[in-house]
Every structure is written in structure tokens, then in C-alpha cells.
Amino acid sequence: MSRPGRLAVGIVGAGRVGAVLGAALRQAEHDVVAASGVSEESLARIDALLPGVPVMDPEAVVRAADLVLLTVPDDSIAAVSAGLASLGAWRGGQIVVHTSGRLGTEALADAQGAGAMALAIHPAMTFTGTSLDLTRMTGAAFAVSGPAPLLPIAQALAVEMGGEPLVLDDRDRPAYHAALVHGANHVVTAVSQAGGILARLGIEEPGRVLGPLVHASVDGALGEAPGAVTTLTGPVVRGDAGTVAAHVAALRGQDEALFAYRAMARATADLALSGGRIGPAQYADIIAALGAEG
């Protein structure tokens, strides 16, 4: 016998996020009744993460579900919501959730206009689209937004999927998402560029060189208050303009890495100056050593 309050869940867009969240809700004993997917990758995810769940077109998924996960790309959410509304697929009392970090519930205006209850729930985690994600989501923050009377539903769903709900106003979601992208995606870019530089020097396993240092640096930064520079190390916070100049010279011809190095070194210098790690004269020397961009 099913637990009380269990919902019929439909997934529109069984990409890396949708299929995993559907599997998490299934583990919480909700009934995943349908999923949509077109690509071979999506169909394979449904088969692997949601075995036995029928594949239907988006309209049929919505009509079959009490809770719809609208897990399509950010720029498609409003259009898909509107298209389904034009087909009369949404109904009163239905719950519809999108998982964009940037957008609020305004993206689901057409579903709301048809009487559906709209929520935005974004897990602050990177997804592989495999069962590995079910473990990685445990304890992750889930940014939840929606009308105040509906927030307890969003919070309960986040908890059932293994997350820790973080309530955000719709208007704050773009800044929240920018912070996550800058702190996670851009770190991957920087590490990838650093690995490329080491590989060009003939170092066969750049990850072994970078790993301990990167982990220690990130762990230290995560333990500090925003804007703190206690754990910040390196030539910029030492005021070592000569080393910075040597780095710039060594990176000439590697335009992407040089551009990123200059931008992040300037930001580091700003942080070090405001945190009292370097003085105005050292700051000026660092900026001069970085030289002109372009």
C-alpha cells in the first residue's frame, strides 16, 4: 500500500537532471507514471534510471501526472509551458516544477494561468545523468521559489529528493545562479586550462600535480567568510610583481589562458587589497606587471 500524499509524477524532458530527480522521487515512493524523451541519450536514461516507466509525448505526460517536472533547457521553459497550455494539458491543482537556477516561477505563467501550481526547484549540484547523482545530491542545497502558500510543498519535495531547501525570492535567482556558475563551472575552466599548460610541458598526469593544491585551496576558501583572504596564497598576495610578470610572459601565445590569468589575477589583487594583504603600492606594481589585455 502506498504512503499517503504520494503523487503521480511526470517528467517532460528526461535529460541529465529530469531523469535523476524522477528517480529520487521514485525512491521516496512517488509513482513516476510517464516521461518524455526524444534523443537516444534521454531514452537510455529513462531505461536505466526509470525502468518500466512508459515514454510518452509531453502532452500525454502532463495529462497523466499530478506533479510535472518540466526539465527542459532554461530558454525553452516558458515556450513549452505555453505550448502545453495551448493544448489544454494543464489543469487546476496540478503541481509543475522547473529546475532552472536562473528563472523564477514567472517562466511558468501559462501553466499558472490554467490553474497549475508553479514552483522553481534548483539543486546546487552538477549532474552526470547516472545513478551516481542520487548519492551526490544528498545534503546539497536546493533553491526553492514560489508563492508563499506553496513553499512548504517545494521544501518537502527538496527534502524527499535528498536536498536541503534554500528559500529564494524569484528576483534573487539570477544572482544566485551566477554565483554557482562562477564558483563551480569557472573553476573547472581554470583547472582545465592549468592542466593544459602542464601537459604542454610534458607532464603526463597534470591532475596529480594540481589535485592536492586545488582541493586544499577550495576547501580553505569554502571555510572562510565571504570576502575573507586568510587562506589566499600565491604571488599576488605576496606582492611579488616579478613573478606575476614572468607568468604573463610565459603564457604569451596561449591567449585563452593568458586572458583568464590576467582577469583572475586582477580580481585577486582587488581582494588582497581590500582585505589588507597588500598595500596600494604593491597593488599598483601587480597591475602594471599584468600589462594591457588584448
Side-chain angles (χ1 to χ4, degrees):
M1 190 170 75
S2 65
R3 290 166 52 194
R6 300 304 86 186
L7 298 167
V9 179
I11 304 164
V12 176
R16 292 187 179 187
V17 176
V20 171
L21 297 187
L25 289 171
R26 200 181 208 187
Q27 286 185 347
E29 299 185 23
H30 292 286
D31 183 16
V32 180
V33 295
S36 70
V38 177
S39 70
E40 290 184 8
E41 292 83 358
S42 293
L43 295 175
R45 287 190 198 99
I46 294 170
D47 186 56
L49 291 169
L50 301 166
V53 171
V55 177
M56 301 180 181
D57 64 66
E59 180 186 357
V61 172
V62 172
R63 292 188 184 280
D66 303 315
L67 165 63
V68 177
L69 299 181
L70 191 58
T71 46
V72 297
D74 288 10
D75 290 346
S76 300
I77 292 171
V80 173
S81 172
L84 290 164
S86 70
L87 296 172
W90 302 113
R91 64 179 182 273
Q94 193 174 37
I95 303 168
V96 55
V97 174
H98 77 64
T99 58
S100 167
R102 171 176 66 92
L103 299 172
T105 52
E106 74 284 348
L108 299 171
D110 289 280
Q112 289 177 295
M117 299 182 289
L119 298 169
I121 302 177
H122 176 260
M125 180 48 62
T126 184
F127 283 79
T128 64
T130 67
S131 58
L132 173 66
D133 299 332
L134 294 170
T135 301
R136 295 170 69 180
M137 283 196 307
T138 302
F142 278 51
V144 300
S145 304
L150 302 182
L151 282 176
I153 298 174
Q155 291 169 305
L157 289 171
V159 169
E160 287 190 317
M161 288 186 283
E164 296 287 342
L166 170 67
V167 176
L168 283 180
D169 287 338
D170 277 353
R171 63 186 178 184
D172 292 332
R173 291 181 76 89
Y176 149 84
H177 196 237
L180 267 57
V181 168
H182 191 46
N185 300 158
H186 295 173
V187 167
V188 173
T189 301
V191 171
S192 177
Q193 289 178 338
I197 295 168
L198 294 177
R200 283 189 285 274
L201 299 177
I203 296 173
E204 294 183 357
E205 296 184 63
R208 291 186 63 184
V209 177
L210 290 168
L213 175 62
V214 170
H215 285 298
S217 298
V218 171
D219 287 345
L222 291 173
E224 287 199 323
V229 291
T230 304
T231 61
L232 189 61
T233 62
V236 170
V237 296
R238 294 194 300 267
D240 192 348
T243 297
V244 172
H247 291 171
V248 171
L251 292 174
R252 292 197 186 281
Q254 302 177 50
D255 292 348
E256 290 184 4
L258 178 56
F259 181 86
Y261 180 93
R262 279 175 161 152
M264 291 309 298
R266 282 187 169 86
T268 302
D270 291 342
L271 187 61
L273 178 64
S274 65
R277 294 290 300 275
I278 59 175
Q282 291 173 304
Y283 176 84
D285 289 343
I286 293 294
I287 298 302
L290 288 169
E293 295 180 12

